[in-house]
Amino acid sequence: MSPRLLGLHQFIKSAILFGFAVYIAYLIKTDNILFYIAPRMVDYVKWSAIGFYAIAVYQVYLAIRSMWGSAASCDCDHDHTPSRSVLKNAVIYGLFAIPLLLGFLLPDTSMGSSLAAKKGMNLNSAGSVRKDATAAVPSSPPQTGQNPPAGGAAAPSTPAQQPGNAATNAPGGTADAASGNLDDLFPSDKFTAQYAKFAKQLYTSDLIKVKEDLFIETLTSVDLYMDRFVGKKMEMTGFVYRQEDMKDNQFVVGRFSVQCCSADATPFGVLVQYDRAQNFADDSWVTVTGTIEKTKFNDMEIMMLKVEKIAKAEPAKSQYVYPNFDFGT
């Protein structure tokens, strides 16, 4: 391959790499990067942009050397000469150039109802916590005198220790709210201790505000001890989501929870009931205040808010919510 043609290939590589660096810089400057990754990953992406820029500059250097006929070969025993096939080169460069062009041409938008419908809206925030706790309980308790289960598995709780058990929920029972003993109201094990601790704080509030920095943690704590929070007031903000099997006066106020990037996003929300629910379009943002009730949806017992106040809201700067890694510490 002639030096000029080799230099042209290196210029194309440089242009693509520089394009990615500029695109990342644009996303960071406009904060649109938050549509794609969690805030804690932004610094890593910044470094990747610097890396793309450095490699692009190096490719320009190689291109200039090639065109001057002074390109040096490496000693790795690999052939780095580009293919002479125009079609093959177009396909290879297109794999990188087309996504880059789409990134610049298409608008940056947040995930909404259409993706929530595909992933499935999670209306049972405490489901994974209950699953973990159940999985750790042995099928039968060890007999007297036997060693505890291997691996440190928790021994099964007695019925009175299980969240939501009838014995602790019965009026005048050992967990009567008048006693002021919140430990009885919110029993826990090693899987639920942090949620029980937070639930006690929420229980003493006249209005439970579901804040962005503790969105999933708040919903999980309330859902885990739902019977204790029935009748309490809750306020939350999110986008409107509906599915076919919901009633005309129902919709979900939801948010996407993101661990690392949009690929692992999971929609979480709370079913709300409001007589004029049809006034609010899908994907519009609302702030609702209502009373916590318990209902059944698709044969699953879930939390529901009976709306007392609702207002249109502006989407948050960061429309997703993220795990709070300081929770429980």
Side-chain angles (χ1 to χ4, degrees):
M1 180 176 290
S2 68
R4 289 185 178 276
L5 189 55
L6 180 59
L8 176 62
H9 278 281
Q10 289 166 331
F11 269 125
I12 294 174
K13 295 175 184 177
S14 175
I16 293 174
L17 289 168
F18 184 72
F20 276 108
V22 170
Y23 180 57
I24 292 172
Y26 161 77
L27 290 177
I28 292 173
K29 184 177 181 180
T30 59
D31 285 330
N32 288 346
I33 191 73
L34 298 179
F35 287 136
Y36 304 102
I37 63 172
R40 65 191 180 91
M41 303 298 296
V42 171
D43 286 341
Y44 299 105
V45 175
K46 287 180 181 178
W47 283 107
S48 72
I50 295 173
F52 283 137
Y53 179 77
I55 298 172
V57 170
Y58 181 66
Q59 286 294 324
V60 171
Y61 165 73
L62 292 180
I64 294 173
R65 288 194 61 183
S66 296
M67 289 184 172
W68 284 350
S70 58
S73 60
C74 67
D75 297 325
C76 66
D77 296 329
H78 290 91
D79 183 11
H80 297 289
T81 304
S83 171
R84 294 180 179 274
S85 170
V86 175
L87 178 60
K88 184 176 180 179
N89 287 326
V91 170
I92 292 175
Y93 291 137
L95 291 175
F96 298 93
I98 292 176
L100 180 61
L101 289 173
L102 290 176
F104 278 110
L105 296 175
L106 297 179
D108 298 307
T109 58
S110 65
M111 296 176 285
S113 291
S114 59
L115 186 61
K118 293 178 181 178
K119 285 179 170 282
M121 178 64 72
N122 190 331
L123 300 176
N124 183 15
S125 305
S128 60
V129 179
R130 293 193 185 99
K131 183 178 180 181
D132 290 342
T134 302
V137 175
S139 57
S140 60
Q143 299 297 320
T144 304
Q146 288 185 343
N147 293 326
S157 303
T158 61
Q161 293 175 321
Q162 293 293 345
N165 182 269
T168 59
N169 293 331
T174 58
D176 195 296
S179 69
N181 190 343
L182 294 182
D183 290 335
D184 289 340
L185 287 173
F186 300 97
S188 63
D189 54 26
K190 66 179 181 179
F191 295 97
T192 60
Q194 57 188 345
Y195 298 105
K197 180 180 178 181
F198 189 47
K200 295 172 191 176
Q201 299 176 26
L202 297 174
Y203 186 76
T204 60
S205 302
D206 294 331
L207 175 64
I208 299 170
K209 292 189 176 183
V210 185
K211 300 177 181 179
E212 287 189 1
D213 59 339
L214 287 166
F215 188 90
I216 299 301
E217 291 78 11
T218 302
L219 292 188
T220 302
S221 298
V222 174
D223 190 28
L224 190 62
Y225 299 97
M226 194 191 318
D227 289 332
R228 299 304 177 201
F229 288 97
V230 169
K232 289 277 189 179
K233 307 290 184 185
M234 176 182 281
E235 177 186 286
M236 63 183 300
T237 299
F239 67 90
V240 174
Y241 166 79
R242 292 181 175 88
Q243 59 191 57
E244 293 180 358
D245 45 0
M246 289 180 181
K247 300 176 182 178
D248 291 340
N249 65 343
Q250 293 179 336
F251 60 81
V252 171
V253 177
R255 300 287 288 268
F256 273 91
S257 173
V258 173
Q259 296 272 349
C260 175
C261 64
S262 56
D264 62 35
T266 303
F268 285 85
V270 174
L271 182 69
V272 304
Q273 183 173 297
Y274 182 58
D275 291 338
R276 295 189 292 277
Q278 297 301 318
N279 292 345
F280 298 91
D282 291 353
D283 290 316
S284 60
W285 279 66
V286 295
T287 297
V288 300
T289 304
T291 303
I292 297 174
E293 295 185 354
K294 188 164 60 173
T295 189
K296 278 198 171 183
F297 183 74
N298 289 338
D299 297 325
M300 180 175 60
E301 197 171 70
I302 62 169
M303 172 172 54
M304 182 182 75
L305 279 186
K306 190 170 184 179
V307 176
E308 298 176 0
K309 185 171 66 175
I310 185 169
K312 292 182 179 179
E314 288 296 322
K317 178 181 178 181
S318 178
Q319 298 187 23
Y320 311 142
V321 292
Y322 311 95
N324 190 314
F325 294 101
D326 294 327
F327 180 71
T329 59

